[in-house]
Amino acid sequence: MSNSVSNSPAQQALRQVRTEVQQQTRILQNLIPPTVSYAAEGNVLVIGPEDLARLAADKLSSMAGRVILANEAITSQDESHLERVMAAAEDVETYYNNILSIKGFLGQFQVTVEQDGNAAALSMVALRKAHFDLILDMSQAPIIQLEMLPPGYFYVGQDADKLAQALEELPQMVGQFDKPRYVKINADICAHYRNGINGCNRCLNFCPADAIKSIEQQIEVDPYLCHGAGSCSNACPTGALSYDLPTPQALHSYLHKLISRFLAQASTAPVILFHDAAQGAALINNELPGEVLPVALEEITVAGMDHWLGALAWGARQVLVLNTAATAPSLTQMLQGELSFSNTLLREIGQPERLTLIDEPELANLWPLLAQSGEWPLTPPAEFAATDKRDTLFAALDYLNQQAGQVTDWLALSHVPFGQVKVDSDACTLCMSCVATCPPQALLDGGDKPALYFREQDCVQCGLCEAACPEKAISLLSGVNLDATARQQQQTLKEEAPFECIRCGAPFATQSMVQRMLEMVGTHSAFSAHLDRLKMCGDCRVKDMFEEILDDPEKQLR
């Protein structure tokens, strides 16, 4: 049945529309993107069993320098095999030191080994060079244990096919190479660390290349290790980490135009298919059902909730995300969590679960999924334009809610970057420590008026305000408020009349703060005689002290 449907005139017409729309629509890219450069002379370190490493090194004779580090036993005692090994790479030095660490990237690998009881740089010992440019790792398990390995590090184990491919690619990795800086950082809105307090660590938990570090309490991305997975920008609740190729706004604009143009020419709502630009792209061909619009990304985690829900609000009936064998397991796990969370929201507002993670076999037969989504209610296209990450997400969610259940519930959900701040008004002194530490400015002061305000839509549940509160008056409640009005409006968490100076009448503090000071220090002997000064503004307090000295100059000496 699927073949007859696939070749039907209706499908052919949809494929024609798709082709025309794709030709008309392009993602706007930075014409001069920021890049980083690698430089490699061709000094390669081969790690593994000595026999296999020697045979591999023999096939790399064109490289500038070759070094063997034997870290495992010979794999075969066959006499003819050993004869080939002894004749191979006779001019290549072999080392047997224990490996202490390997770090770096193409052109800058630092390999530290144990030598005479001390740590030594193997490149200096073997080549008189500060580093190795490339590493071929034939160990049973990779020395560098990362899902996304550094550029220039080839792990092949004892897989003959992988070894053959690596031996072909290694000589091509000599020279200078440029790579995009995939991620930008806006430290001003980062919720990781403020005023000596640790807050959000979401991006640190999701990088499969270990390219993100907290250095001196600042989030930094190593552009040489970054593969552009996009998981950090996807996980970042404030938008402090943002993808640059394409930017979130450029991807939103592309999706909006792609969907709008397809709807203008076709009689059915489209399905958006996000896939990676490598293995996923190789699986896409013109046999794809005509209503499916493929969108290539560097990695499938580049698009997040704001893009998925935005596509649905602009008229897509379904969003599919293609997960291939090349996707790092941590990225798959992250996607499963984010898609499950998004589908929970859709279900709560009365929408079908329109977001689906598919694998390669499912891509080959999309007809069951398309038949199901074809029965779902259509969503009239929304007219809002994408702004920042958070507001776009909520604009899409609120629009989809309006089209379905118009639900106003508050959903209590654990470990999500959305929620409320609760304040114990009896304990709060309106010191504004929380306001000073809130990166997205979800908490605001009252200006000249002693008050604490809160806007729920901006809160990322980073915990900085809770940790900063000296009175322990703040608690957090994570969840999603489906009532757009309540979520967007400014709430008053506490307000009170100012305390007026007993001498000049000027307001200078809050009633609760002055009362707290009186309770804390009022009984101390150093203050008992001057309690009224605690009730004065700063200027009047100084005047009162000097007047006392002028009236009795020797009092200070006594």
Side-chain angles (χ1 to χ4, degrees):
M1 182 180 72
S2 61
N3 286 336
S4 61
V5 173
S6 176
N7 296 320
S8 67
Q11 273 296 311
Q12 293 177 15
L14 286 173
R15 290 190 179 105
Q16 180 62 34
V17 170
R18 178 177 65 201
T19 300
E20 293 175 1
V21 168
Q22 289 176 320
Q23 291 174 347
Q24 296 169 4
T25 314
R26 292 287 182 270
I27 296 179
L28 295 178
Q29 301 278 20
N30 186 348
L31 296 178
I32 311 178
T35 60
V36 293
S37 295
Y38 301 92
E41 297 176 359
N43 296 306
V44 60
L45 173 66
V46 183
I47 305 174
E50 182 176 359
D51 55 336
L52 300 183
R54 185 172 291 277
L55 292 172
D58 190 63
K59 297 178 181 179
L60 294 170
S61 58
S62 64
M63 304 300 286
R66 294 170 293 165
V67 175
I68 294 172
L69 179 56
N71 67 336
E72 294 177 6
I74 290 176
T75 62
S76 173
Q77 296 293 333
D78 179 77
E79 188 172 333
S80 61
H81 171 74
L82 293 178
E83 286 179 359
R84 289 196 304 272
V85 170
M86 294 301 294
E90 294 180 310
D91 58 336
V92 179
E93 192 76 27
T94 300
Y95 293 83
Y96 303 89
N97 309 66
N98 290 327
I99 300 172
L100 298 179
S101 68
I102 296 179
K103 59 183 179 180
F105 42 84
L106 175 63
Q108 293 287 336
F109 282 109
Q110 308 292 326
V111 180
T112 305
V113 297
E114 184 179 357
Q115 185 178 45
D116 301 327
N118 298 312
L122 183 59
S123 60
M124 291 296 296
V125 174
L127 298 173
R128 297 293 185 265
K129 297 280 186 180
H131 51 258
F132 291 105
D133 298 307
L134 298 152
I135 293 179
L136 175 62
D137 187 356
M138 305 178 69
S139 310
Q140 292 186 24
I143 305 300
I144 298 180
Q145 295 283 337
L146 291 173
E147 292 178 335
M148 288 186 168
L149 297 169
Y153 180 92
F154 291 79
Y155 175 70
V156 300
Q158 295 176 18
D159 186 311
D161 292 336
K162 290 183 179 179
L163 174 60
Q165 183 177 354
L167 292 175
E168 182 180 343
E169 293 182 13
L170 279 163
Q172 301 172 24
M173 301 294 289
V174 178
Q176 183 162 326
F177 308 91
D178 292 333
K179 186 188 77 172
R181 287 179 178 263
Y182 291 106
V183 178
K184 293 190 299 186
I185 302 178
N186 181 356
D188 292 339
I189 59 173
C190 178
H192 171 57
Y193 193 89
R194 286 290 175 95
N195 300 340
I197 302 168
N198 184 71
C200 175
N201 295 301
R202 289 172 64 87
C203 63
L204 294 172
N205 299 327
F206 288 109
C207 182
D210 199 28
I212 304 179
K213 302 288 186 185
S214 175
I215 300 176
E216 296 182 354
Q217 290 76 51
Q218 295 286 324
I219 293 295
E220 293 190 12
V221 176
D222 187 333
Y224 293 95
L225 296 178
C226 176
H227 282 257
S231 51
C232 57
S233 59
N234 197 320
C236 179
T238 66
L241 283 170
S242 61
Y243 208 77
D244 201 37
L245 289 169
T247 65
Q249 294 79 10
L251 182 54
H252 276 305
S253 176
Y254 174 74
L255 290 171
H256 194 181
K257 291 176 181 177
L258 191 70
I259 295 167
S260 300
R261 289 170 179 170
F262 186 88
L263 286 170
Q265 298 182 50
S267 58
T268 185
V271 173
I272 294 297
L273 171 63
F274 290 113
H275 63 86
D276 69 90
Q279 184 161 330
L283 300 171
I284 303 297
N285 54 50
N286 200 45
E287 296 303 311
L288 199 66
E291 59 265 52
V292 178
L293 304 181
V295 177
L297 305 170
E298 186 73 21
E299 295 285 348
I300 49 177
T301 38
V302 169
M305 286 180 63
D306 51 325
H307 298 103
W308 305 334
L309 296 181
L312 296 178
W314 289 320
R317 75 178 195 242
Q318 189 175 22
V319 171
L320 306 176
V321 182
L322 175 59
N323 190 43
T324 70
T327 304
S330 63
L331 299 186
T332 300
Q333 182 181 8
M334 177 188 183
L335 276 172
Q336 290 170 335
E338 291 292 288
L339 288 165
S340 175
F341 172 42
S342 302
N343 275 324
T344 296
L345 296 180
L346 291 173
R347 186 172 62 250
E348 290 292 336
I349 62 177
Q351 289 275 1
E353 296 186 11
R354 298 179 182 269
L355 309 173
T356 306
L357 186 67
I358 65 171
D359 56 21
E360 295 180 33
E362 288 173 305
L363 175 67
N365 183 24
L366 289 175
W367 299 107
L369 281 174
L370 299 183
Q372 180 185 31
S373 65
E375 299 296 322
W376 292 339
L378 294 177
T379 301
E383 297 181 357
F384 69 87
T387 53
D388 63 45
K389 174 179 181 177
R390 202 170 184 86
D391 285 346
T392 301
L393 186 157
F394 278 118
L397 179 63
D398 292 338
Y399 179 79
L400 294 170
N401 191 6
Q402 292 168 11
Q403 300 303 312
Q406 299 186 4
V407 178
T408 57
D409 296 341
W410 199 89
L411 306 178
L413 299 166
S414 301
H415 309 298
V416 297
F418 311 97
Q420 299 177 348
V421 169
K422 299 296 183 181
V423 171
D424 180 348
S425 58
D426 292 333
C428 175
T429 62
L430 293 175
C431 69
M432 299 304 161
S433 295
C434 55
V435 173
T437 59
C438 182
Q441 297 184 317
L443 290 166
L444 299 168
D445 62 37
D448 294 334
K449 180 182 179 181
L452 177 61
Y453 302 126
F454 172 66
R455 186 172 184 262
E456 184 176 347
Q457 183 154 309
D458 296 330
C459 178
V460 299
Q461 297 284 292
C462 63
L464 288 172
C465 60
E466 184 178 27
C469 179
E471 313 300 343
K472 306 303 178 187
I474 289 179
S475 59
L476 303 179
L477 186 61
S478 66
V480 177
N481 194 343
L482 297 174
D483 186 337
T485 301
R487 189 183 64 244
Q488 293 170 5
Q489 72 182 6
Q490 183 172 278
Q491 306 171 32
T492 301
L493 298 183
K494 180 172 181 177
E495 62 181 348
E496 60 181 61
F499 189 94
E500 297 178 351
C501 175
I502 60 174
R503 179 164 175 163
C504 70
F508 72 95
T510 64
Q511 298 274 355
S512 56
M513 185 174 293
V514 173
Q515 184 59 37
R516 185 64 54 87
M517 287 192 297
L518 291 172
E519 292 172 357
M520 292 177 65
V521 303
T523 58
H524 195 282
S525 59
F527 295 94
S528 57
H530 304 288
L531 283 181
D532 282 349
R533 284 183 185 160
L534 296 177
K535 304 175 185 178
M536 298 179 189
C537 65
D539 290 342
C540 290
R541 195 175 300 138
V542 172
K543 290 177 183 177
D544 188 65
M545 292 171 61
F546 274 97
E547 287 173 358
E548 184 180 53
I549 293 173
L550 292 175
D551 290 341
D552 186 359
E554 296 182 359
K555 184 174 181 178
Q556 297 297 314
L557 298 176
R558 296 198 300 271

